[in-house]
Each structure stands twice: as structure tokens, then as C-alpha cells.
Amino acid sequence: MKKCIIFGTTYFSEMLQYYLEKYYEIKVVGYTVDKEYFEKSILGGKRVVPFDNVEDIFEPSEHSIMIGIGYNKMNNLRKLKMNEAKRKGFAIQSFIHPSSTFENVSLGEGNIVFENVTMSYGVKVGDGNIFWNGCNISHHTEIGDYNFFAPSSVLAGKVKVKNNCFVGINASIRGNRVLEDYTLIGAGCHMNVNSELYGVYVPERSKKLSNKISTDFM
């Protein structure tokens, strides 16, 4: 059985352990964090070790590492730790939930794909991306590295997402659009234009109707 360690000691990290051990023939043998965040030596019955010398404790040739970091600092923290782990000699662990559907998709390393994600024909995905449940990525879309796609986000055909972007819950991107590096798309946003570098896009927020109550309508 293959062995893996997980970077991080959050709820996200514990969830990744559950998925890896349930759906893959992988045994999670420990966790690792940066020394300045080292607070506990045991998590869920697994050993926690400082990342600074993790390679001295878990032999890189015998263990993969999964980066249990979300969209912190527009995904830069995940990028940093993934690259550091590779320099230490670890293979980067990916995960694809068995309920997800891919059709002629190209995937890089270190991607995490949760339940019921659909990727259509000709989709290309780089490294270190996270796709939460229910994402729909349409045909011939190209996705770069270290992006985060929140639940039920939708990309139409031939969209290009560059690097370090965040696409919020239920956001939709129209076909043939480009998201430049470090674009932030808020929850529920309908993106009908190309984004700008470091751009932030949000929809109009819901508001309470004045002088109305629910029983006026139904």
C-alpha cells in the first residue's frame, strides 16, 4: 500500500485523509506543518512533524505528499508549499473523486477534484488546482496552475483561466473568455468579459424588498 503525508492540520487536511484512504489504496501516515505553526504532535492518531525537516522523518522515495491548503493568499501559499515539497524530493499526491466525469482531459500534478465534477472533451488542466463538488468545466477550456473553483462554479466552452485565480460558489464564466492571473470572481457572479490582472468581480447583492412580506407572493 502506498503511503502519504498531508501538509496542514486543518479540517480540510482531515477530510483529505478520509478521501484518500476511502477511495485510493493509500495510507496516510502523518501530517506536516511549518515549524512556527507546530502546535500538536498527534492529529487523528497520526504523527505531526515540522515541515522544515519532514524529509528526514518520512523518506521522500517512500511517501507522497498532499498539500492540504485552500485559497490562502490567492493560492500562493499552496503553490509555495507544493514547490518546496518537490524540492525535498516528494511526489505530489493528486485526488479525483470517483463520481467525477472526465472526457479526454489532460491533468497535471497535485490537483484535487471532489464529488460530481464534470470536465468535458478537450479540457486541459495544469498543476495544483482545487475543484470543489459540482463544478462544470466545458469543452476545450484551458486552466493553468494553482486555481480554486468553489462548489457549482461553471465554465463554458473554450474559457482560458490562467494562474492563481479564485472562482466563487455558483459563479459562471461565459465561453471564450479569459481570466488573467490572480482574478477573483465572487459567488454568484456571471462573467461576460475578459478579466484584468488582479481584478475583483462581484454581482449585485440581494436586498430586502421594502413594505413586502413573503405571504404577499405565495
Side-chain angles (χ1 to χ4, degrees):
M1 179 177 286
K2 295 180 180 179
K3 295 182 288 186
C4 180
I5 54 177
I6 296 176
F7 186 99
T9 54
T10 64
Y11 291 117
F12 184 39
S13 308
E14 292 185 73
M15 186 176 74
L16 291 173
Q17 176 188 336
Y18 170 83
Y19 280 118
L20 281 178
E21 294 187 337
K22 179 174 181 179
Y23 295 109
Y24 284 21
E25 291 185 358
I26 290 177
K27 180 67 174 177
V28 175
V29 296
Y31 294 89
T32 184
V33 291
D34 288 330
K35 185 165 55 178
E36 59 265 36
Y37 299 104
F38 189 85
E39 297 177 347
K40 48 191 172 184
S41 58
I42 299 292
L43 176 65
K46 310 292 183 180
R47 187 178 181 187
V48 182
V49 303
F51 186 61
D52 308 67
N53 65 327
V54 62
E55 68 274 24
D56 298 328
I57 302 167
F58 295 109
E59 170 57 46
S61 64
E62 299 175 1
H63 301 80
S64 61
I65 187 167
M66 174 164 269
I67 309 302
I69 299 173
Y71 49 78
N72 307 62
K73 299 183 178 180
M74 286 298 292
N75 304 291
N76 264 333
L77 186 56
R78 187 167 72 258
K79 174 182 178 180
L80 175 66
K81 294 308 169 184
M82 183 168 160
N83 288 330
E84 287 182 9
K86 290 170 67 174
R87 286 194 294 270
K88 290 174 180 287
F90 289 98
I92 306 301
Q93 183 65 50
S94 298
F95 173 75
I96 300 172
H97 195 279
S99 66
S100 291
T101 303
F102 293 177
E103 292 291 344
N104 190 36
V105 171
S106 171
L107 276 175
E109 65 179 345
N111 291 294
I112 298 173
V113 182
F114 291 115
E115 295 92 334
N116 300 307
V117 171
T118 299
M119 295 192 189
S120 300
Y121 178 87
V123 169
K124 296 180 180 179
V125 178
D127 301 333
N129 299 283
I130 295 178
F131 299 87
W132 278 85
N133 49 293
C135 293
N136 191 321
I137 314 298
S138 296
H139 67 96
H140 295 96
T141 286
E142 296 183 15
I143 294 170
D145 304 326
Y146 310 109
N147 299 289
F148 186 100
F149 299 88
S152 299
S153 52
V154 177
L155 277 62
K158 296 185 284 185
V159 169
K160 184 169 185 179
V161 180
K162 294 190 177 180
N163 306 307
N164 293 85
C165 296
F166 175 93
V167 180
I169 294 172
N170 284 321
S172 59
I173 315 300
R174 188 172 177 179
N176 294 290
R177 299 306 185 260
V178 177
L179 301 188
E180 297 290 346
D181 293 344
Y182 295 95
T183 295
L184 193 161
I185 306 295
C189 188
H190 174 66
M191 195 67 180
N192 194 28
V193 297
N194 296 336
S195 77
E196 298 179 7
L197 182 68
Y198 290 97
V200 178
Y201 301 83
V202 297
E204 293 293 332
R205 298 301 182 186
S206 299
K207 63 181 181 180
K208 182 181 181 298
L209 295 178
S210 300
N211 303 316
K212 294 291 183 180
I213 61 174
S214 58
T215 50
D216 292 336
F217 297 93
M218 62 181 68

